[in-house]
Amino acid sequence: MYTPDDLEIVSEIISVACITAVSLLFGRKAASIERPVYYIRGLLLGLYTATWAFNIIACMATSTNNGNFVSCALSLYNCIIVYNIAKLFLYLYFIEKIYITSVPKTSRFRTALYLVNLGLLLPYIALIVLMIIYRNAQVEETAPFHCTIGFQLPASAATLTYDILISSLYTGIFIKYALFPNTAQQTAHQATSLRIMARRSIVATVVSMVTAIVNYCVLIGFNGQERGLVASTICALDISIVVCVVHWVATHPSEMQCTVKALTTAINDKPMKLEIKQHQEVVVLSELAP
């Protein structure tokens, strides 16, 4: 009869705790959303969904990793694909928060900073390719046939560097908005709320950077070869902690009010095409003969 070891039991407990926490936050967020569903709220739902899916797969694979190469490979690609989809939703959320906090007067794709931030996400595709190329996935040939997964140094170091740089960029922008607001932010009716939004967003970006650093430093410390359940558990903790902090940021009253106000203003300020139609009236005059 198979008996799980202590590390497997701890991993299962952590995975179930992460699933429970994310499910609770997901339900509360979905119940609080009213129409219309703005883009930023859709990003939050996407982040919660991807995180929940990752945790579910990680929990299922944890108990079947030993001696099962299919389960081992599933754990690896869960960390490559589903985890990084959640990270992309997170980065898109930060980009949208930067757009809203800047008190936009134009649409997203007419804003230079928004386009630059979107462009900086393109290297993430190359990072995912590096993860696939430099992946490690193997099952030990001797009992208890542990599954080992991870990434070689080129992939892990590049991803760690990218996460630090992009998170530092977002943190710097939010610090600028919190301490040195522009004229539009200073004169806005929600000036105080905008500063609160920026300060709370700083916490989210810093937590995201710290968890990513811990995740990849542990991976590098194990020479890119972690036991499958350890890698899945660390990734689950990483993204679940970030989701909890993001939920804390997004549920503040000033956050919700400023989001709706800023997006409504941006929509109302879109240029409209006006057409002036000239109506001509033809009057027929007839003279009566005397």
Side-chain angles (χ1 to χ4, degrees):
M1 181 177 179
Y2 175 74
T3 302
D5 56 33
D6 293 340
L7 194 58
E8 186 174 335
I9 294 173
V10 172
S11 297
E12 289 281 5
I13 293 173
I14 294 175
S15 296
V16 171
C18 290
I19 293 170
T20 303
V22 174
S23 299
L24 177 62
L25 298 181
F26 192 6
R28 291 173 62 90
K29 189 63 181 177
S32 65
I33 291 180
E34 299 177 356
R35 294 187 179 183
V37 179
Y38 293 108
Y39 173 60
I40 190 169
R41 292 173 176 171
L43 291 175
L44 283 175
L45 293 179
L47 173 61
Y48 293 165
T49 302
T51 303
W52 180 84
F54 176 86
N55 291 338
I56 287 288
I57 297 173
C59 184
M60 291 189 300
T62 294
S63 59
T64 58
N65 268 177
N66 292 347
N68 188 334
F69 184 77
V70 174
S71 176
C72 189
L74 179 63
S75 295
L76 174 66
Y77 284 99
N78 189 35
C79 293
I80 293 177
I81 299 175
V82 184
Y83 173 81
N84 284 305
I85 289 175
K87 294 284 284 189
L88 283 174
F89 274 119
L90 177 66
Y91 291 148
L92 288 172
Y93 170 76
F94 287 147
I95 293 173
E96 185 68 8
K97 282 293 295 295
I98 291 171
Y99 170 73
I100 293 173
T101 312
S102 66
V103 189
K105 295 298 182 182
T106 57
S107 63
R108 295 175 182 83
F109 295 104
R110 293 176 181 268
T111 306
L113 183 58
Y114 188 88
L115 294 176
V116 170
N117 285 331
L118 279 184
L120 291 176
L121 291 183
L122 293 178
Y124 211 85
I125 300 174
L127 292 177
I128 295 175
V129 173
L130 281 177
M131 291 179 187
I132 295 175
I133 294 175
Y134 293 101
R135 68 188 185 276
N136 289 320
Q138 59 185 8
V139 177
E140 295 181 358
E141 297 180 355
T142 57
F145 309 105
H146 286 162
C147 163
T148 302
I149 63 174
F151 312 112
Q152 298 175 30
L153 187 60
S156 56
T159 306
L160 175 60
T161 303
Y162 177 86
D163 278 339
I164 293 175
L165 292 177
I166 201 73
S167 297
S168 299
L169 172 64
Y170 297 153
T171 303
I173 293 174
F174 285 125
I175 290 175
K176 191 269 180 187
Y177 287 162
L179 302 180
F180 309 102
N182 56 35
T183 303
Q185 293 167 328
Q186 292 176 349
T187 57
H189 294 295
Q190 301 85 16
T192 302
S193 297
L194 288 171
R195 285 195 294 272
I196 294 174
M197 279 181 59
R199 290 170 183 171
R200 292 169 75 90
S201 297
I202 292 170
V203 177
T205 54
V206 170
V207 169
S208 172
M209 179 168 57
V210 171
T211 55
I213 290 174
V214 172
N215 188 355
Y216 285 103
C217 282
V218 171
L219 176 61
I220 294 173
F222 280 96
N223 295 320
Q225 294 183 340
E226 293 176 303
R227 189 174 169 186
L229 56 86
V230 173
S232 296
T233 302
I234 293 177
C235 288
L237 280 173
D238 172 5
I239 196 64
S240 297
I241 291 172
V242 173
V243 164
C244 291
V245 175
V246 167
H247 183 80
W248 170 76
V249 172
T251 52
H252 193 274
S254 63
E255 169 93 8
M256 294 183 285
Q257 293 173 2
C258 287
T259 298
V260 175
K261 181 66 177 177
L263 293 177
T264 303
T265 302
I267 292 172
N268 292 336
D269 287 344
K270 287 183 179 179
M272 299 177 63
K273 182 180 179 180
L274 300 178
E275 294 183 359
I276 301 177
K277 296 183 179 180
Q278 296 181 349
H279 298 277
Q280 297 181 350
E281 294 183 358
V282 178
V283 179
V284 179
L285 300 178
S286 61
E287 293 185 0
L288 296 178

